[in-house]
PDB file of all heavy atoms in Angstrom:
ATOM      1  N   LEU F 324     -12.956 -31.645   9.606  1.00 97.00           N
ATOM      2  CA  LEU F 324     -13.543 -32.390  10.714  1.00 97.00           C
ATOM      3  C   LEU F 324     -13.547 -31.600  12.016  1.00 97.00           C
ATOM      4  O   LEU F 324     -14.299 -31.915  12.927  1.00 97.00           O
ATOM      5  CB  LEU F 324     -12.755 -33.691  10.924  1.00 97.00           C
ATOM      6  CG  LEU F 324     -12.838 -34.682   9.756  1.00 97.00           C
ATOM      7  CD1 LEU F 324     -11.797 -35.780   9.893  1.00 97.00           C
ATOM      8  CD2 LEU F 324     -14.239 -35.270   9.665  1.00 97.00           C
ATOM      9  N   THR F 325     -12.702 -30.563  12.086  1.00 95.00           N
ATOM     10  CA  THR F 325     -12.670 -29.733  13.291  1.00 95.00           C
ATOM     11  C   THR F 325     -13.895 -28.823  13.353  1.00 95.00           C
ATOM     12  O   THR F 325     -14.606 -28.751  14.342  1.00 95.00           O
ATOM     13  CB  THR F 325     -11.368 -28.922  13.341  1.00 95.00           C
ATOM     14  OG1 THR F 325     -10.260 -29.802  13.221  1.00 95.00           O
ATOM     15  CG2 THR F 325     -11.265 -28.173  14.669  1.00 95.00           C
ATOM     16  N   SER F 326     -14.124 -28.125  12.222  1.00 97.00           N
ATOM     17  CA  SER F 326     -15.267 -27.198  12.178  1.00 97.00           C
ATOM     18  C   SER F 326     -16.544 -27.864  11.676  1.00 97.00           C
ATOM     19  O   SER F 326     -17.603 -27.239  11.677  1.00 97.00           O
ATOM     20  CB  SER F 326     -14.924 -26.013  11.264  1.00 97.00           C
ATOM     21  OG  SER F 326     -14.689 -26.471   9.939  1.00 97.00           O
ATOM     22  N   LYS F 327     -16.436 -29.116  11.223  1.00 98.00           N
ATOM     23  CA  LYS F 327     -17.563 -29.873  10.683  1.00 98.00           C
ATOM     24  C   LYS F 327     -18.220 -29.125   9.540  1.00 98.00           C
ATOM     25  O   LYS F 327     -19.458 -28.951   9.498  1.00 98.00           O
ATOM     26  CB  LYS F 327     -18.566 -30.197  11.803  1.00 98.00           C
ATOM     27  CG  LYS F 327     -17.997 -31.081  12.891  1.00 98.00           C
ATOM     28  CD  LYS F 327     -19.009 -31.461  13.941  1.00 98.00           C
ATOM     29  CE  LYS F 327     -18.381 -32.341  15.023  1.00 98.00           C
ATOM     30  NZ  LYS F 327     -19.341 -32.721  16.065  1.00 98.00           N
ATOM     31  N   THR F 328     -17.381 -28.689   8.606  1.00 98.00           N
ATOM     32  CA  THR F 328     -17.875 -27.965   7.439  1.00 98.00           C
ATOM     33  C   THR F 328     -17.329 -28.592   6.170  1.00 98.00           C
ATOM     34  O   THR F 328     -16.277 -29.267   6.188  1.00 98.00           O
ATOM     35  CB  THR F 328     -17.443 -26.477   7.480  1.00 98.00           C
ATOM     36  OG1 THR F 328     -16.019 -26.401   7.585  1.00 98.00           O
ATOM     37  CG2 THR F 328     -18.080 -25.775   8.684  1.00 98.00           C
ATOM     38  N   LEU F 329     -18.002 -28.334   5.077  1.00 98.00           N
ATOM     39  CA  LEU F 329     -17.567 -28.815   3.761  1.00 98.00           C
ATOM     40  C   LEU F 329     -16.645 -27.762   3.155  1.00 98.00           C
ATOM     41  O   LEU F 329     -17.099 -26.678   2.781  1.00 98.00           O
ATOM     42  CB  LEU F 329     -18.784 -29.059   2.864  1.00 98.00           C
ATOM     43  CG  LEU F 329     -18.525 -29.632   1.475  1.00 98.00           C
ATOM     44  CD1 LEU F 329     -17.842 -30.984   1.561  1.00 98.00           C
ATOM     45  CD2 LEU F 329     -19.830 -29.740   0.701  1.00 98.00           C
ATOM     46  N   SER F 330     -15.360 -28.054   3.093  1.00 97.00           N
ATOM     47  CA  SER F 330     -14.393 -27.043   2.632  1.00 97.00           C
ATOM     48  C   SER F 330     -14.149 -27.118   1.137  1.00 97.00           C
ATOM     49  O   SER F 330     -13.606 -26.186   0.557  1.00 97.00           O
ATOM     50  CB  SER F 330     -13.069 -27.197   3.404  1.00 97.00           C
ATOM     51  OG  SER F 330     -12.547 -28.492   3.252  1.00 97.00           O
ATOM     52  N   SER F 331     -14.539 -28.224   0.494  1.00 98.00           N
ATOM     53  CA  SER F 331     -14.353 -28.347  -0.948  1.00 98.00           C
ATOM     54  C   SER F 331     -15.355 -29.327  -1.517  1.00 98.00           C
ATOM     55  O   SER F 331     -15.636 -30.360  -0.901  1.00 98.00           O
ATOM     56  CB  SER F 331     -12.926 -28.804  -1.279  1.00 98.00           C
ATOM     57  OG  SER F 331     -12.754 -29.045  -2.660  1.00 98.00           O
ATOM     58  N   TRP F 332     -15.891 -28.991  -2.675  1.00 98.00           N
ATOM     59  CA  TRP F 332     -16.829 -29.876  -3.378  1.00 98.00           C
ATOM     60  C   TRP F 332     -16.714 -29.614  -4.866  1.00 98.00           C
ATOM     61  O   TRP F 332     -16.826 -28.475  -5.308  1.00 98.00           O
ATOM     62  CB  TRP F 332     -18.262 -29.633  -2.931  1.00 98.00           C
ATOM     63  CG  TRP F 332     -19.300 -30.468  -3.643  1.00 98.00           C
ATOM     64  CD1 TRP F 332     -20.018 -30.128  -4.726  1.00 98.00           C
ATOM     65  CD2 TRP F 332     -19.696 -31.793  -3.287  1.00 98.00           C
ATOM     66  NE1 TRP F 332     -20.863 -31.144  -5.099  1.00 98.00           N
ATOM     67  CE2 TRP F 332     -20.702 -32.191  -4.230  1.00 98.00           C
ATOM     68  CE3 TRP F 332     -19.338 -32.682  -2.284  1.00 98.00           C
ATOM     69  CZ2 TRP F 332     -21.306 -33.443  -4.185  1.00 98.00           C
ATOM     70  CZ3 TRP F 332     -19.947 -33.931  -2.241  1.00 98.00           C
ATOM     71  CH2 TRP F 332     -20.928 -34.292  -3.160  1.00 98.00           C
ATOM     72  N   LYS F 333     -16.421 -30.651  -5.655  1.00 98.00           N
ATOM     73  CA  LYS F 333     -16.317 -30.449  -7.094  1.00 98.00           C
ATOM     74  C   LYS F 333     -16.694 -31.711  -7.842  1.00 98.00           C
ATOM     75  O   LYS F 333     -16.450 -32.828  -7.369  1.00 98.00           O
ATOM     76  CB  LYS F 333     -14.909 -30.007  -7.485  1.00 98.00           C
ATOM     77  CG  LYS F 333     -13.796 -30.940  -7.086  1.00 98.00           C
ATOM     78  CD  LYS F 333     -12.430 -30.354  -7.432  1.00 98.00           C
ATOM     79  CE  LYS F 333     -11.309 -31.291  -6.987  1.00 98.00           C
ATOM     80  NZ  LYS F 333      -9.960 -30.746  -7.308  1.00 98.00           N
ATOM     81  N   GLU F 334     -17.299 -31.531  -8.990  1.00 98.00           N
ATOM     82  CA  GLU F 334     -17.590 -32.660  -9.859  1.00 98.00           C
ATOM     83  C   GLU F 334     -16.358 -32.958 -10.703  1.00 98.00           C
ATOM     84  O   GLU F 334     -15.683 -32.039 -11.198  1.00 98.00           O
ATOM     85  CB  GLU F 334     -18.758 -32.342 -10.792  1.00 98.00           C
ATOM     86  CG  GLU F 334     -19.116 -33.504 -11.714  1.00 98.00           C
ATOM     87  CD  GLU F 334     -20.248 -33.180 -12.697  1.00 98.00           C
ATOM     88  OE1 GLU F 334     -20.909 -32.143 -12.515  1.00 98.00           O
ATOM     89  OE2 GLU F 334     -20.437 -33.975 -13.640  1.00 98.00           O
ATOM     90  N   ILE F 335     -16.042 -34.222 -10.830  1.00 98.00           N
ATOM     91  CA  ILE F 335     -14.921 -34.665 -11.674  1.00 98.00           C
ATOM     92  C   ILE F 335     -15.538 -35.268 -12.933  1.00 98.00           C
ATOM     93  O   ILE F 335     -16.067 -36.390 -12.902  1.00 98.00           O
ATOM     94  CB  ILE F 335     -14.048 -35.691 -10.962  1.00 98.00           C
ATOM     95  CG1 ILE F 335     -13.680 -35.223  -9.556  1.00 98.00           C
ATOM     96  CG2 ILE F 335     -12.795 -35.983 -11.785  1.00 98.00           C
ATOM     97  CD1 ILE F 335     -12.897 -33.922  -9.516  1.00 98.00           C
TER      98      ILE F 335
END
Side-chain angles (χ1 to χ4, degrees):
L324 296 167
T325 306
S326 62
K327 298 183 180 180
T328 57
L329 183 60
S330 57
S331 174
W332 178 266
K333 58 183 178 181
E334 181 183 348
I335 312 299

